[in-house]
Amino acid sequence: MNKNYIFSLLSLFLFSLGHAQSYKKPLISAIKETDLRKDMYEMAADQFWGREAGTLDELKVSMWLADKAKEAGMQPAGDHGTFFQFFEMYRHQITSQSSLKIGDKNLNLWKDFLVAEPVNTSVDGEIVYTGNTEPEDLSKFNIKGKVLAVNASDKNIDKEMTLFVRRYPGFVRTKYYNKAYELGAKAIIFITDDISEKSWVEVLPQMTRGSYGVEGLREKITNNIPILWIKRENASWVKNNPKLSLNLITETYKYPSVNVIGKIEGTDPVLKSEYVLLSGHQDHDGIRHPVKNDTIYNGADDNASTCVAMLAMARAYKKQPGKRSILFVFHGAEERGLLGSRWHAAHPVVPKEKIVAVLNGDMIGRNDNNEAALLGGNAPHKNSEELVKMAEDANNESTKFKYLKDWDSPNHAEYFYFRSDHLPYAKIGIPAVFFTSVLHDQYHTPQDESENINYKKLYKMTEWMYRTSWKVANETERPKVIANFSLER
Ligand SMILES: [Zn+2]
């Protein structure tokens, strides 16, 4: 055996050793359940009144988050050296000047009738009452240039979904709208059935709030035909085909929201210019209809859970930075349609190509301690083999969650992959995954509160996200995007 051979063997050994240990272990001990608990009780407290996007409450919690981010060791990474990236939402809202007269009866907006989506329109015409007719039989009636009145029905509507009652008017709309439009109807009146009777109290706050958009999304109101709802106890109003006179006036105005953004710089002179983006959303649903005598929708799991996890991870990165930098983005206005993440994906505070991956969390503090979902972990939602492998390796190291894989299936009734802040980033070609402990009975109710969080679970989910981010921050190669990845929905 010659010396050169021994030398090359030795260097191969040293190389593999060096390669396997080319970076430190994650500093798990810096993540503390007591911190998660303390921050949770502050952020999801009644003092922030449910953190609704565009309100002073969202601005107040943004100040709280910025203070916390600073305390945890982040540097500001928002606009003009601050922690804030403000953006404008567009809000479209039906005004109280709107009116409806059926026959000789004047009806009261939001009391006697609901308007499903904001439009500007005047309709004068005859009502054609079609009773229980399903969409495929509507053509038996002449509704061209007239107003269709129909009894809502749940036939052919999939009922396997959380918040089904809240979403139901939308499903009914989808079921009838195109057919009615095609047949020339000028407006639609739905008369409630059992499910929509129940849904009235839930959809009222949604409809009165109106709709929200951001640059590139719902900037203007639609030209759709108006959709009204009346209660079945008032069905007699439309049964004898009277005349209707409807005037809907919608106002559109700009409305502020804000992303809170901080960073912790990496240690590698080259890789520090690249960023691992940790993502959560700070907003929730504000004050709404009472459930069990409570009206404040605190959003502890949704999504103070990820915000406090991000603060905990920041403390760990402050003590032991990675090679790459970490960008912490607490998105605003997620509940109004992923508006903050849409904005930041379009206007990132660091160059887009320097964001190596997005690790988003949403609702990470509930349900079984040993189960969790990684959305974007499986085809067709998976957009990076390497990133998913890092998340899976991180899980195998310690947390050992059993994956709730069906939640990542394109056939899952919730379409959950499409419902959080990683989505706008995945759409622009950044490797992205979504960590979640999934839905529960108290989802989007005032009972989503600090005392109902499973802190052991929240700790484990934080650990999983942190271990994953640590790999992304330190591996030599950044995760690649799967070629030709595209999202169907
Ligand atoms: Zn959420």
Side-chain angles (χ1 to χ4, degrees):
M1 200 181 273
N2 77 32
K3 258 202 246 171
N4 280 347
Y5 182 65
I6 292 173
F7 181 73
S8 44
L9 260 188
L10 187 69
S11 50
L12 185 69
F13 171 73
L14 286 174
F15 175 77
S16 355
L17 195 72
H19 196 70
Q21 299 184 334
S22 65
Y23 61 90
K24 293 176 188 160
K25 291 201 168 79
L27 193 64
I28 306 295
S29 63
I31 294 177
K32 301 217 160 49
E33 193 186 307
T34 46
D35 288 345
L36 294 169
R37 187 182 286 267
K38 181 173 178 290
D39 290 344
M40 172 62 79
Y41 272 86
E42 288 179 28
M43 186 173 177
D46 287 355
Q47 60 173 337
F48 294 124
W49 301 103
R51 311 186 302 275
E52 176 157 341
T55 67
L56 281 175
D57 305 316
E58 189 193 37
L59 298 184
K60 279 179 197 158
V61 81
S62 298
M63 289 299 299
W64 178 88
L65 264 175
D67 284 345
K68 283 283 183 174
K70 194 173 165 188
E71 210 177 282
M74 289 184 217
Q75 295 172 305
D79 294 335
H80 317 297
T82 73
F83 280 100
F84 307 110
Q85 183 190 42
F86 282 92
F87 59 94
E88 284 173 339
M89 300 187 283
Y90 295 89
R91 186 169 177 185
H92 315 289
Q93 213 175 5
I94 298 277
T95 67
S96 56
Q97 285 79 47
S98 301
S99 64
L100 172 64
K101 192 173 179 184
I102 295 178
D104 52 11
K105 199 170 168 46
N106 285 307
L107 305 180
N108 294 316
L109 175 67
W110 306 129
K111 185 171 166 283
D112 300 326
F113 72 103
L114 305 183
V115 184
E117 59 185 57
V119 285
N120 269 317
T121 193
S122 281
V123 176
D124 283 288
E126 187 188 324
I127 295 173
V128 178
Y129 174 63
T130 63
N132 293 324
T133 308
E134 291 293 317
E136 57 274 19
D137 296 324
L138 280 180
S139 52
K140 290 176 188 161
F141 296 84
N142 176 16
I143 58 172
K144 193 172 168 60
K146 297 176 183 171
V147 177
L148 166 67
V150 60
N151 296 339
S153 97
D154 63 350
K155 198 178 161 201
N156 299 328
I157 291 175
D158 183 1
K159 297 167 199 67
E160 296 302 306
M161 197 176 195
T162 52
L163 305 184
F164 173 69
V165 162
R166 201 175 298 176
R167 300 177 201 280
Y168 182 63
F171 294 132
V172 175
R173 178 220 186 267
T174 306
K175 181 172 147 179
Y176 285 92
Y177 186 88
N178 285 348
K179 195 70 194 171
Y181 183 79
E182 192 187 301
L183 294 170
K186 281 161 74 174
I188 305 173
I189 299 174
F190 289 117
I191 299 149
T192 54
D193 60 351
D194 283 349
I195 305 174
S196 41
E197 283 284 316
K198 272 187 234 150
S199 87
W200 193 278
V201 64
E202 304 234 3
V203 301
L204 189 60
Q206 279 166 228
M207 291 181 183
T208 54
R209 272 171 168 79
S211 69
Y212 298 74
V214 75
E215 182 187 80
L217 177 85
R218 293 191 291 268
E219 287 183 37
K220 298 198 166 70
I221 53 169
T222 67
N223 292 320
N224 291 343
I225 58 172
I227 299 160
L228 313 178
W229 282 83
I230 61 171
K231 293 206 172 194
R232 62 184 166 198
E233 70 202 40
N234 298 322
S236 60
W237 294 346
V238 300
K239 276 187 176 164
N240 301 318
N241 307 335
K243 292 249 187 299
L244 162 148
S245 178
L246 172 69
N247 189 26
L248 292 181
I249 303 165
T250 293
E251 61 180 355
T252 291
Y253 52 98
K254 287 179 180 173
Y255 207 52
S257 183
V258 60
N259 296 322
V260 179
I261 310 180
K263 67 179 175 187
I264 292 181
E265 281 191 353
T267 52
D268 185 282
V270 178
L271 296 181
K272 68 187 283 188
S273 71
E274 297 182 345
Y275 293 84
V276 183
L277 193 158
L278 288 172
S279 153
H281 70 87
Q282 54 149 324
D283 69 307
H284 194 58
D285 267 354
I287 300 161
R288 297 193 172 213
H289 60 284
V291 180
K292 295 181 182 158
N293 283 325
D294 193 355
T295 55
I296 303 176
Y297 287 62
N298 303 79
D301 188 33
D302 189 6
N303 189 18
S305 64
T306 305
C307 295
V308 303
M310 287 162 67
L311 293 173
M313 289 188 265
R315 291 180 193 109
Y317 276 105
K318 180 64 184 173
K319 285 196 179 122
Q320 177 181 287
K323 291 182 179 175
R324 292 190 175 84
S325 300
I326 311 295
L327 192 67
F328 299 84
V329 186
F330 304 87
H331 294 103
E334 188 268 357
E335 302 287 5
R336 303 281 74 81
L338 316 182
L339 305 186
S341 51
R342 283 179 207 269
W343 180 267
H344 184 252
H347 307 277
V349 294
V350 300
K352 178 191 142 188
E353 55 283 358
K354 294 289 184 188
I355 302 174
V356 301
V358 172
L359 278 58
N360 177 49
D362 202 349
M363 309 183 66
I364 62 169
R366 299 286 292 249
N367 295 327
D368 192 299
N369 274 342
N370 298 313
E371 292 179 346
L374 181 72
L375 285 86
N378 304 278
H381 301 149
K382 175 157 74 173
N383 79 338
S384 171
E385 296 289 353
E386 295 84 1
L387 178 59
V388 169
K389 181 159 190 314
M390 288 181 209
E392 287 177 346
D393 289 348
N395 185 39
N396 291 337
E397 280 169 14
S398 167
T399 47
K400 299 196 171 17
F401 287 115
K402 182 174 161 278
Y403 298 113
L404 298 165
K405 273 203 174 171
D406 54 329
W407 284 79
D408 201 22
S409 156
N411 303 320
H412 195 279
E414 300 285 346
Y415 295 104
F416 211 44
Y417 175 80
F418 295 87
R419 288 165 51 186
S420 194
D421 287 321
H422 56 287
L423 189 68
Y425 298 101
K427 282 185 174 166
I428 59 166
I430 299 174
V433 283
F434 168 19
F435 298 82
T436 178
S437 52
V438 310
L439 304 180
H440 46 82
D441 288 348
Q442 292 167 332
Y443 169 64
H444 281 229
T445 72
Q447 283 69 49
D448 179 8
E449 294 185 280
S450 309
E451 61 261 37
N452 293 328
I453 292 292
N454 173 352
Y455 288 91
K456 289 271 173 297
K457 178 70 169 283
L458 176 56
Y459 178 87
K460 278 184 75 178
M461 292 295 288
T462 308
E463 179 181 349
W464 184 21
M465 284 185 77
Y466 170 61
R467 282 182 183 274
T468 308
S469 70
W470 184 252
K471 289 179 193 295
V472 187
N474 288 289
E475 289 287 342
T476 315
E477 296 286 325
R478 57 189 277 181
K480 292 187 280 292
V481 183
I482 292 173
N484 305 324
F485 170 77
S486 76
L487 290 168
E488 288 292 308
R489 204 157 172 274

